[in-house]
Amino acid sequence: MQADLVVDASGHGSLTEALLNSIGWPLPQETWIGVDMAYTTALFDIPEDAPPDWMGVRTLALYPHSKRAAILPVEGKRWMLTLAGRYDEKPPGDRDGCLMFAQQLRTPTVYNAIRHVKSVPEIARFGFKGSCWKHFERLEKLPQGLLPFGDAICRFNPIYGQGMSVAALEADVLNRLLTAQSAESDGLAGLAAAFFAEAERLIDTPWWTAAIPDFSDPRTEGQRPSDLEYMLKFFAALLKLAAQDAAVHKLFIEVQNLLKPRSVYRDPELVRRIKVVMAEA
Ligand SMILES: Cc1cc2nc3c(=O)[nH]c(=O)nc-3n(C[C@H](O)[C@H](O)[C@H](O)COP(=O)(O)OP(=O)(O)OC[C@H]3O[C@@H](n4cnc5c(N)ncnc54)[C@H](O)[C@@H]3O)c2cc1C
Protein backbone atom coordinates (compact mmCIF):
# COMPACT_ATOMS: atom_id res chain seq x y z
CA MET A 1 0.00 0.00 0.00
CA GLN A 2 1.43 3.39 -1.00
CA ALA A 3 1.22 6.12 1.63
CA ASP A 4 3.02 9.36 2.50
CA LEU A 5 2.86 8.55 6.21
CA VAL A 6 2.66 5.13 7.88
CA VAL A 7 1.99 5.19 11.63
CA ASP A 8 2.97 1.93 13.32
CA ALA A 9 0.48 1.77 16.18
CA SER A 10 0.63 -2.03 16.32
CA GLY A 11 1.36 -2.04 20.06
CA HIS A 12 4.63 -3.97 19.97
CA GLY A 13 6.73 -2.23 17.33
CA SER A 14 7.81 -5.45 15.68
CA LEU A 15 6.43 -4.33 12.28
CA THR A 16 8.84 -1.40 12.22
CA GLU A 17 11.68 -3.55 13.50
CA ALA A 18 10.99 -6.21 10.86
CA LEU A 19 11.19 -3.51 8.20
CA LEU A 20 14.46 -2.13 9.62
CA ASN A 21 15.85 -5.67 9.72
CA SER A 22 14.82 -6.35 6.13
CA ILE A 23 16.70 -3.30 4.84
CA GLY A 24 19.68 -3.79 7.16
CA TRP A 25 19.18 -0.56 9.17
CA PRO A 26 19.99 -0.42 12.90
CA LEU A 27 17.29 -1.23 15.44
CA PRO A 28 16.57 1.16 18.32
CA GLN A 29 18.30 0.58 21.67
CA GLU A 30 15.93 -0.67 24.35
CA THR A 31 15.60 0.16 28.04
CA TRP A 32 13.99 -2.76 29.83
CA ILE A 33 12.44 -3.11 33.29
CA GLY A 34 11.50 -6.76 33.88
CA VAL A 35 8.58 -7.05 36.32
CA ASP A 36 6.99 -10.45 35.43
CA MET A 37 3.48 -9.38 36.42
CA ALA A 38 0.13 -11.11 35.92
CA TYR A 39 -3.43 -9.87 36.09
CA THR A 40 -6.74 -11.61 36.61
CA THR A 41 -9.87 -9.66 35.73
CA ALA A 42 -13.33 -10.91 36.67
CA LEU A 43 -16.76 -9.48 35.80
CA PHE A 44 -19.81 -10.31 37.89
CA ASP A 45 -23.10 -8.83 39.14
CA ILE A 46 -22.68 -6.36 42.01
CA PRO A 47 -23.48 -8.36 45.16
CA GLU A 48 -26.66 -7.41 46.99
CA ASP A 49 -24.78 -6.66 50.20
CA ALA A 50 -22.39 -4.23 48.45
CA PRO A 51 -22.00 -0.86 50.19
CA PRO A 52 -24.18 1.55 48.16
CA ASP A 53 -21.78 4.50 48.36
CA TRP A 54 -18.63 2.87 46.95
CA MET A 55 -17.18 4.44 43.81
CA GLY A 56 -14.31 1.98 43.69
CA VAL A 57 -11.75 0.22 45.87
CA ARG A 58 -8.02 -0.15 45.54
CA THR A 59 -5.81 -2.21 47.80
CA LEU A 60 -2.15 -1.52 47.13
CA ALA A 61 0.70 -3.95 47.67
CA LEU A 62 2.91 -3.64 50.70
CA TYR A 63 6.51 -4.57 49.90
CA PRO A 64 7.89 -7.27 49.96
CA HIS A 65 4.50 -8.54 48.77
CA SER A 66 3.15 -7.65 45.35
CA LYS A 67 -0.49 -8.69 45.69
CA ARG A 68 -2.91 -5.90 44.92
CA ALA A 69 -6.52 -5.49 43.83
CA ALA A 70 -9.11 -3.09 42.54
CA ILE A 71 -12.88 -3.15 42.19
CA LEU A 72 -14.61 -0.75 39.83
CA PRO A 73 -18.26 -0.60 38.76
CA VAL A 74 -18.88 -1.11 35.02
CA GLU A 75 -21.94 -1.14 32.77
CA GLY A 76 -24.72 -3.67 33.39
CA LYS A 77 -24.63 -3.19 37.20
CA ARG A 78 -21.47 -5.28 37.39
CA TRP A 79 -18.18 -5.03 39.18
CA MET A 80 -14.83 -5.47 37.49
CA LEU A 81 -12.43 -7.05 39.92
CA THR A 82 -8.76 -6.87 39.04
CA LEU A 83 -6.16 -8.84 40.95
CA ALA A 84 -2.45 -8.52 40.23
CA GLY A 85 0.81 -9.91 41.52
CA ARG A 86 4.36 -10.70 40.49
CA TYR A 87 6.56 -13.79 40.31
CA ASP A 88 5.21 -16.41 42.74
CA GLU A 89 2.31 -14.15 43.76
CA LYS A 90 0.41 -14.15 40.46
CA PRO A 91 -3.39 -14.38 40.76
CA PRO A 92 -5.17 -17.56 39.59
CA GLY A 93 -7.89 -17.76 36.94
CA ASP A 94 -10.81 -19.31 38.83
CA ARG A 95 -13.39 -18.02 41.34
CA ASP A 96 -12.16 -19.95 44.38
CA GLY A 97 -8.55 -19.07 43.69
CA CYS A 98 -9.48 -15.40 43.35
CA LEU A 99 -11.24 -15.47 46.73
CA MET A 100 -8.20 -17.06 48.32
CA PHE A 101 -5.95 -14.46 46.69
CA ALA A 102 -8.22 -11.66 48.00
CA GLN A 103 -7.92 -13.10 51.50
CA GLN A 104 -4.15 -12.61 51.33
CA LEU A 105 -4.33 -8.91 50.48
CA ARG A 106 -3.04 -6.25 52.83
CA THR A 107 -6.56 -5.42 54.11
CA PRO A 108 -9.76 -7.54 54.09
CA THR A 109 -11.85 -4.89 52.26
CA VAL A 110 -11.85 -6.59 48.85
CA TYR A 111 -12.34 -10.09 50.23
CA ASN A 112 -15.26 -8.97 52.39
CA ALA A 113 -16.84 -7.29 49.36
CA ILE A 114 -16.70 -10.39 47.12
CA ARG A 115 -16.89 -13.34 49.47
CA HIS A 116 -20.62 -13.94 48.83
CA VAL A 117 -20.26 -13.80 45.04
CA LYS A 118 -21.47 -17.17 43.71
CA SER A 119 -21.01 -16.90 39.97
CA VAL A 120 -18.18 -15.30 38.00
CA PRO A 121 -19.17 -15.72 34.34
CA GLU A 122 -16.25 -13.80 32.84
CA ILE A 123 -12.70 -14.20 34.04
CA ALA A 124 -9.50 -13.51 32.12
CA ARG A 125 -5.77 -13.58 32.80
CA PHE A 126 -3.03 -11.44 31.32
CA GLY A 127 0.72 -11.63 31.67
CA PHE A 128 3.21 -8.77 31.35
CA LYS A 129 6.94 -9.46 31.38
CA GLY A 130 8.30 -5.94 31.47
CA SER A 131 8.29 -2.30 30.48
CA CYS A 132 10.20 -1.55 27.30
CA TRP A 133 11.26 1.80 25.88
CA LYS A 134 12.55 1.61 22.31
CA HIS A 135 14.72 4.63 21.76
CA PHE A 136 13.77 5.60 18.21
CA GLU A 137 14.82 9.14 19.13
CA ARG A 138 18.46 7.94 19.24
CA LEU A 139 18.45 6.36 15.77
CA GLU A 140 20.44 8.23 13.17
CA LYS A 141 18.03 7.23 10.45
CA LEU A 142 14.52 5.87 10.00
CA PRO A 143 12.76 5.52 6.61
CA GLN A 144 10.98 8.81 5.89
CA GLY A 145 7.21 8.60 6.31
CA LEU A 146 7.38 5.82 8.93
CA LEU A 147 6.36 6.69 12.47
CA PRO A 148 6.20 4.20 15.37
CA PHE A 149 3.66 5.38 17.93
CA GLY A 150 2.23 4.65 21.40
CA ASP A 151 3.15 1.26 22.82
CA ALA A 152 5.25 0.60 19.71
CA ILE A 153 7.68 3.17 21.19
CA CYS A 154 7.20 2.55 24.89
CA ARG A 155 5.23 -0.12 26.73
CA PHE A 156 4.61 0.72 30.38
CA ASN A 157 3.93 -1.54 33.33
CA PRO A 158 0.09 -1.43 33.17
CA ILE A 159 -0.23 -1.34 36.94
CA TYR A 160 0.34 2.43 36.81
CA GLY A 161 -2.31 3.08 34.13
CA GLN A 162 -0.20 5.33 31.89
CA GLY A 163 -0.04 3.91 28.36
CA MET A 164 -3.34 5.17 26.94
CA SER A 165 -2.71 8.60 28.39
CA VAL A 166 0.75 8.75 26.77
CA ALA A 167 -0.68 7.54 23.43
CA ALA A 168 -3.38 10.24 23.60
CA LEU A 169 -0.79 12.93 24.34
CA GLU A 170 1.35 11.66 21.46
CA ALA A 171 -1.70 11.85 19.16
CA ASP A 172 -2.08 15.47 20.20
CA VAL A 173 1.59 16.16 19.41
CA LEU A 174 1.32 14.44 16.02
CA ASN A 175 -1.78 16.43 15.16
CA ARG A 176 0.00 19.67 16.04
CA LEU A 177 3.14 18.78 14.08
CA LEU A 178 1.18 17.67 11.01
CA THR A 179 -0.91 20.83 11.08
CA ALA A 180 2.23 22.97 11.33
CA GLN A 181 4.17 21.00 8.70
CA SER A 182 1.31 20.90 6.21
CA ALA A 183 1.95 24.60 5.66
CA GLU A 184 5.65 23.93 4.86
CA SER A 185 6.85 23.24 1.35
CA ASP A 186 8.91 20.16 2.29
CA GLY A 187 5.90 18.35 3.83
CA LEU A 188 6.86 15.47 6.11
CA ALA A 189 10.62 16.14 6.25
CA GLY A 190 11.82 16.23 9.83
CA LEU A 191 8.46 15.02 11.17
CA ALA A 192 9.86 11.90 12.87
CA ALA A 193 12.72 13.76 14.61
CA ALA A 194 10.36 16.44 15.90
CA PHE A 195 7.83 13.83 17.02
CA PHE A 196 10.37 11.62 18.80
CA ALA A 197 11.83 14.62 20.65
CA GLU A 198 8.39 15.49 22.02
CA ALA A 199 7.49 11.84 22.67
CA GLU A 200 10.72 11.43 24.70
CA ARG A 201 9.70 14.40 26.85
CA LEU A 202 6.20 12.93 27.32
CA ILE A 203 7.51 9.47 28.22
CA ASP A 204 10.07 10.74 30.76
CA THR A 205 7.64 11.39 33.64
CA PRO A 206 5.54 8.19 33.45
CA TRP A 207 8.65 6.07 32.84
CA TRP A 208 10.46 7.33 35.93
CA THR A 209 7.45 7.48 38.22
CA ALA A 210 6.92 3.77 37.44
CA ALA A 211 10.60 2.77 37.37
CA ILE A 212 11.35 3.97 40.89
CA PRO A 213 8.68 1.85 42.64
CA ASP A 214 9.33 -1.11 40.29
CA PHE A 215 13.03 -1.09 41.20
CA SER A 216 12.19 -1.07 44.91
CA ASP A 217 11.70 -4.82 44.46
CA PRO A 218 15.17 -6.44 44.25
CA ARG A 219 13.81 -9.05 41.80
CA THR A 220 13.06 -6.40 39.16
CA GLU A 221 15.36 -6.74 36.15
CA GLY A 222 17.05 -3.79 34.48
CA GLN A 223 19.59 -1.04 34.95
CA ARG A 224 18.88 0.66 38.26
CA PRO A 225 19.42 4.43 38.42
CA SER A 226 22.59 5.28 40.38
CA ASP A 227 20.57 7.39 42.85
CA LEU A 228 17.88 4.73 43.41
CA GLU A 229 18.34 4.55 47.21
CA TYR A 230 17.94 8.30 47.50
CA MET A 231 14.93 8.32 45.12
CA LEU A 232 13.15 5.57 47.08
CA LYS A 233 13.60 7.51 50.30
CA PHE A 234 12.58 10.73 48.56
CA PHE A 235 9.34 9.20 47.24
CA ALA A 236 8.53 7.52 50.56
CA ALA A 237 8.87 10.93 52.23
CA LEU A 238 6.87 12.61 49.47
CA LEU A 239 4.01 10.15 50.06
CA LYS A 240 4.14 10.78 53.81
CA LEU A 241 3.96 14.51 53.19
CA ALA A 242 1.11 14.01 50.70
CA ALA A 243 -0.86 12.17 53.38
CA GLN A 244 -0.59 15.26 55.61
CA ASP A 245 -0.87 18.09 53.10
CA ALA A 246 -3.68 18.21 50.52
CA ALA A 247 -1.71 20.51 48.21
CA VAL A 248 1.22 18.04 48.04
CA HIS A 249 -1.23 15.19 47.48
CA LYS A 250 -2.79 17.11 44.59
CA LEU A 251 0.64 17.73 43.07
CA PHE A 252 1.53 14.03 43.38
CA ILE A 253 -1.75 13.01 41.69
CA GLU A 254 -1.17 15.55 38.92
CA VAL A 255 2.27 14.07 38.18
CA GLN A 256 0.91 10.50 38.33
CA ASN A 257 -1.83 11.49 35.88
CA LEU A 258 0.58 13.25 33.52
CA LEU A 259 -0.87 16.71 34.09
CA LYS A 260 2.52 17.93 35.35
CA PRO A 261 6.10 16.79 34.66
CA ARG A 262 8.17 15.16 37.40
CA SER A 263 10.41 18.27 37.38
CA VAL A 264 7.85 19.90 39.75
CA TYR A 265 9.41 17.72 42.46
CA ARG A 266 12.55 19.88 42.17
CA ASP A 267 10.77 22.90 43.65
CA PRO A 268 13.22 24.07 46.38
CA GLU A 269 10.56 24.55 49.07
CA LEU A 270 9.05 21.11 48.39
CA VAL A 271 12.53 19.51 48.43
CA ARG A 272 13.28 21.20 51.75
CA ARG A 273 10.06 19.83 53.29
CA ILE A 274 10.67 16.36 51.89
CA LYS A 275 14.21 16.35 53.32
CA VAL A 276 12.79 17.20 56.76
CA VAL A 277 10.54 14.11 56.53
CA MET A 278 13.49 12.01 55.25
CA ALA A 279 15.57 13.08 58.23
CA GLU A 280 12.80 11.95 60.62
CA ALA A 281 12.62 8.46 59.08
C1 LIG B 1 -3.78 -5.12 31.47
C2 LIG B 1 -3.55 -3.71 30.99
C3 LIG B 1 -4.11 -2.64 31.70
C4 LIG B 1 -3.89 -1.32 31.27
N1 LIG B 1 -4.44 -0.28 31.97
C5 LIG B 1 -4.24 0.98 31.54
C6 LIG B 1 -4.84 2.09 32.22
O1 LIG B 1 -5.55 1.93 33.20
N2 LIG B 1 -4.59 3.35 31.75
C7 LIG B 1 -3.81 3.57 30.66
O2 LIG B 1 -3.62 4.73 30.27
N3 LIG B 1 -3.23 2.54 29.99
C8 LIG B 1 -3.43 1.27 30.40
N4 LIG B 1 -2.85 0.22 29.73
C9 LIG B 1 -1.96 0.49 28.59
C10 LIG B 1 -2.74 0.74 27.32
O3 LIG B 1 -3.66 -0.31 27.09
C11 LIG B 1 -1.76 0.83 26.16
O4 LIG B 1 -0.69 1.68 26.50
C12 LIG B 1 -2.45 1.40 24.94
O5 LIG B 1 -3.53 0.56 24.56
C13 LIG B 1 -1.47 1.52 23.78
O6 LIG B 1 -2.15 1.92 22.62
P1 LIG B 1 -1.56 1.54 21.20
O7 LIG B 1 -2.57 2.08 20.22
O8 LIG B 1 -0.16 1.99 21.09
O9 LIG B 1 -1.52 -0.06 21.13
P2 LIG B 1 -2.73 -1.14 21.32
O10 LIG B 1 -3.86 -0.58 22.13
O11 LIG B 1 -2.06 -2.38 21.82
O12 LIG B 1 -3.25 -1.33 19.87
C14 LIG B 1 -2.51 -2.00 18.88
C15 LIG B 1 -3.51 -2.58 17.88
O13 LIG B 1 -2.79 -3.00 16.71
C16 LIG B 1 -3.29 -4.24 16.32
N5 LIG B 1 -2.25 -4.92 15.53
C17 LIG B 1 -1.09 -5.47 15.97
N6 LIG B 1 -0.39 -5.98 14.94
C18 LIG B 1 -1.11 -5.73 13.83
C19 LIG B 1 -0.92 -6.01 12.46
N7 LIG B 1 0.17 -6.66 12.03
N8 LIG B 1 -1.85 -5.61 11.59
C20 LIG B 1 -2.97 -4.94 12.03
N9 LIG B 1 -3.20 -4.66 13.33
C21 LIG B 1 -2.29 -5.04 14.21
C22 LIG B 1 -3.62 -4.95 17.62
O14 LIG B 1 -4.56 -6.00 17.39
C23 LIG B 1 -4.23 -3.80 18.41
O15 LIG B 1 -5.61 -3.66 18.19
C24 LIG B 1 -3.08 -1.09 30.12
C25 LIG B 1 -2.52 -2.17 29.42
C26 LIG B 1 -2.75 -3.46 29.85
C27 LIG B 1 -2.14 -4.59 29.07
Side-chain angles (χ1 to χ4, degrees), residues 73-257:
V74 295
E75 62 276 8
K77 294 194 177 128
R78 291 175 303 167
W79 268 351
M80 183 177 71
L81 166 73
T82 299
L83 305 173
R86 302 176 58 184
Y87 300 103
D88 54 347
E89 294 188 319
K90 291 175 184 160
D94 61 292
R95 174 196 166 277
D96 292 351
C98 286
L99 282 176
M100 206 181 295
F101 186 95
Q103 261 180 315
Q104 295 155 0
L105 291 164
R106 184 176 170 182
T107 73
T109 316
V110 168
Y111 174 71
N112 288 339
I114 62 171
R115 64 183 170 166
H116 298 307
V117 171
K118 292 274 173 290
S119 152
V120 183
E122 287 178 66
I123 192 158
R125 294 189 82 221
F126 181 84
F128 181 84
K129 285 290 171 200
S131 307
C132 182
W133 186 353
K134 294 178 200 271
H135 295 282
F136 287 102
E137 77 282 358
R138 296 182 194 162
L139 282 179
E140 281 181 16
K141 56 180 183 176
L142 193 69
Q144 182 165 330
L146 173 63
L147 201 71
F149 187 90
D151 273 22
I153 302 177
C154 187
R155 219 176 42 229
F156 299 90
N157 181 348
I159 214 79
Y160 303 102
Q162 300 162 320
M164 280 188 282
S165 314
V166 170
L169 290 166
E170 286 177 3
D172 195 39
V173 165
L174 183 56
N175 178 37
R176 187 160 39 76
L177 290 174
L178 285 173
T179 305
Q181 292 205 206
S182 64
E184 308 279 330
S185 55
D186 52 357
L188 297 171
L191 175 73
F195 175 77
F196 290 138
E198 295 220 32
E200 184 184 12
R201 187 180 51 75
L202 287 176
I203 291 167
D204 175 79
T205 290
W207 182 265
W208 284 106
T209 52
I212 302 301
D214 278 345
F215 279 133
S216 69
D217 186 330
R219 297 169 297 184
T220 299
E221 296 165 7
Q223 180 71 43
R224 284 162 166 74
S226 55
D227 59 351
L228 179 66
E229 280 305 308
Y230 173 81
M231 294 307 288
L232 288 173
K233 286 181 186 151
F234 184 92
F235 276 102
L238 172 68
L239 284 178
K240 260 192 189 166
L241 201 57
Q244 297 157 8
D245 182 332
V248 177
H249 185 255
K250 182 166 179 278
L251 190 72
F252 174 74
I253 295 296
E254 285 170 341
V255 174
Q256 290 295 113
N257 287 284

